[in-house]
Each structure stands twice: as C-alpha cells, then as structure tokens.
Amino acid sequence: MNVSRVEMTDLLPIEELKTLVEPGKVLTDAASLETYGKDWTKHYAPAPSAIVFPKTVEQVQAIVRWANAHKIALVPSGGRTGLSAAAVAANGEVVVSFDYMNQILDFNESNRTVVCQPGVVTGALQQFAEDKGLYYPVDFASAGSSQIGGNIGTNAGGIKVIRYGLTRNWVAGLKVVTGTGELLELNKDLIKNATGYDLRQLFIGAEGTLGFVVEATMRLDRAPRNLTAMVLGTPDLESIMPVLHAFHGKLDLTAFEFFSDKCLDKILGRGDIPAPFESRTPFYALLEFEAVNEDVANTALATFEHCVEQGWVLDGVMSQSEQQLKNLWKLREYISETISHWTPYKNDISVTVSQVPAFLADIDTIVSGSYPDFEVLWYGHIGDGNLHLNILKPDALSKEEFFAKCATVNKWVFETVEKYNGSISAEHGVGMTKRDYLEYSRSPAEIAYMKAVKTVFDPNGIMNPGKIFA
Ligand code: MLT
Ligand code: ZN
C-alpha cells in the first residue's frame, strides 16, 4: 500500500492529531522538523511533516490509529543518537517523540527490575540503579542522550557485551503498541516463561517497524566491585588475540576493546586526555575487570608480564584509582565523538572473534590498494568480534567525491563480511543506511519471513517504513 506524506495544504489530519495529545504537543515549525527529523546519521535531509509528543500509552494508541486512518507513516524518535538512520524522517512522516514519556515508574528490589517509560535516558537508568546499589550494565558513549526505547529498538550493544550481553538480555517485559494501535503486554516480567513464541524478542531490534515500545521492565545486576582497566600496547592486531585469550582464561573480563594508533593520535590531538604511557604502538587493547582483591590484581599483573614475555604486549598501564579508570576509558570512548569532526565514512560490522585479524587485514589491503590516500581508523569491541571501520575524508576530495568512493568501499566491506559469514551491522542497526545490503547477511528466505512478520503487526505499513527493508 501507498503511505503518503501529510499534505501541508490539507491541514485537517494535523488538526485532528492535535486533539489527540496535550495542547502544544504537535510541532510543525522548521527548527523542530529539522531537529526531530534526524538522528546522528549525517547523510539524509530531514523532512518530516510534524512532530508529536505523546505523554501516555493511550495517546500513542490514538496516534497510531489516526495514522492508520489517514495512511500516514510514523517514525519513532528517542535520543536520536542512532548511526543507521533508523530514526530519520526523510519523507514527510510524522515523528513520534518519546521525550515526555521519560519517567521511571516503579522499582522492585526483590525482582531487581525497573519499569521505565521509553523516553528514560540510558544514563538516568544507570544512575537510578547506582543509587539503589545496583547496576544497569548496557553502556556506550552516547548513554547520556540515548533513550531506553531506542536502545530496545536497536538492541543496543556497547562496551560491556563481552560480560553482560546486549540490551535484549536486560528486558524482562515490554508493553508495545503495534501497527494497528493494539496494546500488547509481553512476557509480564517473568524469568521463566515456556508458553510458546517469545514475542517480546521480536520487538527488540525491530527499529520500530512492528510497533512502538511504550513501557519496558529492565533488569538490574549487582554493582561491580573495584572496576580496574588496563591499556596494553601491541605490536600488531594479531597479538591482541592471544592477549584476549590469556586474560579471558585468568579473569572475569567486563570489557575487552581495541583501537589503532591512528585513533590514539586523534584523541591525543584534543589535548585534554592524557596518553596511557610514553611509547606508541600500532594497536592498543583496553580491558576491564573487577579487582575484588589483591589476588585478582596480582593475576592481572602476572598475565600482563606473560604477554610481554611472549612479545604480544610492548607496554601497558593499569588504573590505580577511579580517575585513572575514567581517563583510560576516555581513550576509547571519545574516539567516535572526536573523529566526527572529519565527517567520516562509518561502518559497524561483526565476524567471529577468531576471524577478526584476517578480516581486518583483508579490508585494509582492499582499501589501501585502491585508495592509498584514505586514512583508515579501526576501533571497537574486539572481545565480541564487533569492529568499527572509519575512514576520514582526505582534504583533496570534496564530500561528494569522498562518499562516492566510499560507496565502493561499502560494497567491498559487505562482500568481505559475506565471505566471512559475518553481519553487516553488529550494533548500529540497519535503518536506511544498510537496508539495500541486507542480503549480504540475511538469506532471501529470512528476509521474506521478516517482511511477513512486519505485515502481521503492521498491516498498513505505517510503522517506520523504509527502515530495515527498502
Ligand atoms: C562506539 O563504539 O564508539 C560507538 O558504537 C560509536 C561509533 O561506532 O562510532
Ligand atoms: Zn560501538
């Protein structure tokens, strides 16, 4: 079916929309359309028709029913920190912002669960958990702005996946409004529930294409004890693999990240983050663990010494205070923000951990063979096989020339991902940026089933159309 844009000459549907929410909660001014019509993806011009801010579940249901009646497409909007254009309204859609559904509704100490509205900021949930002496472990650089609804929509990953898994692992129950406006309560916060299909999981990572999350019960964990980080300089990428293996065997790691020396160069260029140590090496691993007692810290040091003896590590440092821990994390967490200044080509892919060195070498060879002037930066969550490939625009190229060449790079990357049986999107989602490449990771049969599922929950195709599928 054809989902049309709201005709700006026909104000009736918009006037009707205004009656469904509180006064002033439908915006159509140019600045709001520009702000709420996009996420952190920089390649699409925002062009929504209106922004609506519901405050209750009933209002979300009314908006969805209104959209069905008028055949108007809806785009859900959270913290707008996404990197796959899943929250971009580029085609006259109405954006549904969850900014005013931002309350923590309940906390259950025995269940260790928190009931959140979708607009609760990830960092606020983390802080709430900390105040209760507990821990919400899904963490990433944009946690200060991103919202729980968006985390669920993209099944957000981040820096602690090696120990705690993805957002999916922390969702105890969901309330969703489907594409027909129906309210579903999924899993009812149970740990054990063997009653057939777990529909909750379908809505996690669906990028709002099946329905909108209107309430989520999130699990919390015990607070980690004395988190301690090490940054280790390695002579090459291959050496990070035995380092990971050595530390994994000895410590219960909470993170294992990596970045190249080119990334460190950009970080140190800011002037506000100290170098981890004096020497420079081609790659760095950042690992974290709970130093619960002196034995654990000594084990970490002994493992470090073993890695040095083997030639896998050339230099290293271990945090001795919370401030040092924070400073070491800045080396990794600030990379994305720091290089955004260069409007880089970005990609987010995954392969199995053991394949990482070969995969990365293949891409390096292909890219440098054809575009020797490209500055290629690698960083990411190497402990779970998730690599972030970023390429900075050479000064000599215009943005248009650069991104035209990057379209070719995209194809090479996805062909290589397919060769390694990996994923074209590890944690950023498909959105609009990768919808045309889905078949590199998913079979035609899988895609057909995914489309069939969408039709079940969203028969009129109004829920975030054009995302995941073209
Ligand atoms: C990260 O790991 O830093 C984020 O996923 C953002 C990015 O890839 O740039
Ligand atoms: Zn990441």
Side-chain angles (χ1 to χ4, degrees):
M1 68 143 277
N2 184 20
V3 178
S4 59
R5 55 188 294 145
V6 182
E7 289 302 329
M8 297 313 287
T9 48
D10 177 8
L11 287 177
L12 251 180
I14 291 295
E15 293 307 320
E16 198 183 322
L17 179 64
K18 286 179 185 169
T19 67
L20 305 178
V21 290
E22 289 184 5
K25 294 290 180 272
V26 175
L27 300 179
T28 52
D29 62 285
S32 301
L33 298 181
E34 167 79 22
T35 302
Y36 286 93
K38 63 177 191 296
D39 58 15
W40 280 0
T41 328
K42 298 206 168 116
H43 309 292
Y44 303 89
S49 294
I51 321 298
V52 59
F53 299 88
K55 284 190 93 172
T56 66
V57 172
E58 291 73 26
Q59 288 178 7
V60 176
Q61 287 183 277
I63 292 165
V64 173
R65 291 192 186 115
W66 165 87
N68 272 292
H70 295 285
K71 306 287 181 281
I72 289 167
L74 301 175
V75 174
S77 173
R80 303 187 301 281
T81 57
L83 292 166
S84 69
V88 171
N91 202 25
E93 304 93 330
V94 168
V95 172
V96 183
S97 165
F98 290 96
D99 278 5
Y100 291 96
M101 291 178 73
N102 61 356
Q103 299 301 305
I104 289 182
L105 301 176
D106 196 16
F107 167 62
N108 187 310
E109 198 168 14
S110 307
N111 297 341
R112 277 194 184 166
T113 51
V114 187
V115 181
C116 298
Q117 289 190 308
V120 169
V121 170
T122 315
L125 175 58
Q126 291 170 339
Q127 188 58 54
F128 181 88
E130 200 180 316
D131 294 346
K132 300 287 181 196
L134 294 167
Y135 188 53
Y136 180 65
V138 179
D139 197 13
F140 35 78
S142 59
S145 312
S146 79
Q147 297 177 1
I148 290 300
N151 291 186
I152 293 169
T154 54
N155 188 23
I159 55 180
K160 307 273 174 147
V161 171
I162 190 173
R163 162 82 163 270
Y164 297 101
L166 299 147
T167 298
R168 188 182 293 291
N169 298 38
W170 300 92
V171 179
L174 279 185
K175 283 187 188 163
V176 297
V177 170
T178 70
T180 62
E182 194 174 359
L183 179 66
L184 296 179
E185 189 178 349
L186 304 173
N187 198 54
K188 299 180 179 132
D189 309 347
L190 299 167
I191 294 174
K192 287 184 140 181
N193 183 1
T195 53
Y197 307 139
D198 187 349
L199 298 180
R200 162 190 53 160
Q201 298 299 346
L202 270 182
F203 284 82
I204 303 171
E207 301 182 12
T209 59
L210 304 180
F212 296 159
V213 171
V214 289
E215 203 177 287
T217 305
M218 307 304 291
R219 292 189 202 290
L220 304 180
D221 202 19
R222 69 161 177 80
R225 288 156 294 178
N226 195 23
L227 284 174
T228 301
M230 286 177 121
V231 170
L232 309 175
T234 69
D236 45 41
L237 185 78
E238 288 76 17
S239 299
I240 294 185
M241 290 293 122
V243 173
L244 170 63
H245 186 68
F247 277 92
H248 232 346
K250 300 279 183 198
L251 298 173
D252 199 1
L253 295 174
T254 51
F256 195 96
E257 303 277 306
F258 90 115
F259 49 93
S260 67
D261 193 48
K262 285 186 177 156
C263 298
L264 183 63
D265 223 35
K266 304 293 177 219
I267 286 285
L268 298 183
R270 296 165 55 113
D272 61 344
I273 302 176
F277 32 76
E278 260 180 38
S279 61
R280 298 283 288 265
T281 60
F283 284 94
Y284 305 87
L286 188 162
L287 61 93
E288 188 194 65
F289 56 95
E290 291 173 84
V292 286
N293 54 40
E294 224 169 284
D295 281 355
V296 176
N298 288 339
T299 302
L301 287 173
T303 310
F304 164 70
E305 275 159 22
H306 171 69
C307 291
V308 172
E309 276 160 25
Q310 297 297 317
W312 304 326
V313 167
L314 302 175
D315 210 342
V317 63
M318 183 161 99
S319 65
Q320 305 294 330
S321 66
E322 197 158 344
Q323 191 53 50
Q324 284 176 10
L325 172 77
K326 280 187 183 151
N327 282 345
L328 291 183
W329 266 113
K330 282 180 187 170
L331 296 167
R332 164 65 188 89
E333 287 227 272
Y334 282 27
I335 296 171
S336 185
E337 179 204 303
T338 305
I339 64 173
S340 68
H341 167 73
W342 281 271
T343 320
Y345 158 89
K346 294 182 83 69
N347 216 325
D348 156 56
I349 36 85
S350 69
V351 291
T352 58
V353 176
S354 60
Q355 291 174 316
V356 165
F359 175 85
L360 191 147
D362 274 9
I363 299 294
D364 267 350
T365 308
I366 297 168
V367 176
S368 62
S370 295
Y371 300 126
D373 53 333
F374 277 12
E375 190 175 5
V376 178
L377 272 62
W378 289 100
Y379 58 93
H381 320 284
I382 196 166
D384 54 57
N386 178 185
L387 307 176
H388 296 313
L389 163 65
N390 284 250
I391 303 175
L392 308 188
K393 184 182 84 57
D395 289 341
L397 291 183
S398 70
K399 254 189 197 170
E400 290 68 31
E401 287 167 332
F402 176 57
F403 283 110
K405 290 185 174 184
C406 288
T408 322
V409 173
N410 241 359
K411 205 164 170 299
W412 295 331
V413 171
F414 295 142
E415 280 166 2
T416 314
V417 166
E418 191 177 34
K419 190 177 107 188
Y420 281 83
N421 243 329
S423 177
I424 60 159
S425 178
E427 61 171 4
H428 293 171
V430 180
M432 290 204 279
T433 57
K434 292 189 172 170
R435 64 186 182 188
D436 296 333
Y437 305 99
L438 198 56
E439 73 271 18
Y440 285 99
S441 279
R442 298 297 199 108
S443 70
E446 271 185 293
I447 294 172
Y449 278 117
M450 285 162 75
K451 286 182 174 168
V453 169
K454 174 156 173 76
T455 310
V456 170
F457 289 102
D458 178 27
N460 286 328
I462 58 155
M463 303 304 263
N464 214 7
K467 315 295 161 49
I468 302 183
F469 318 109

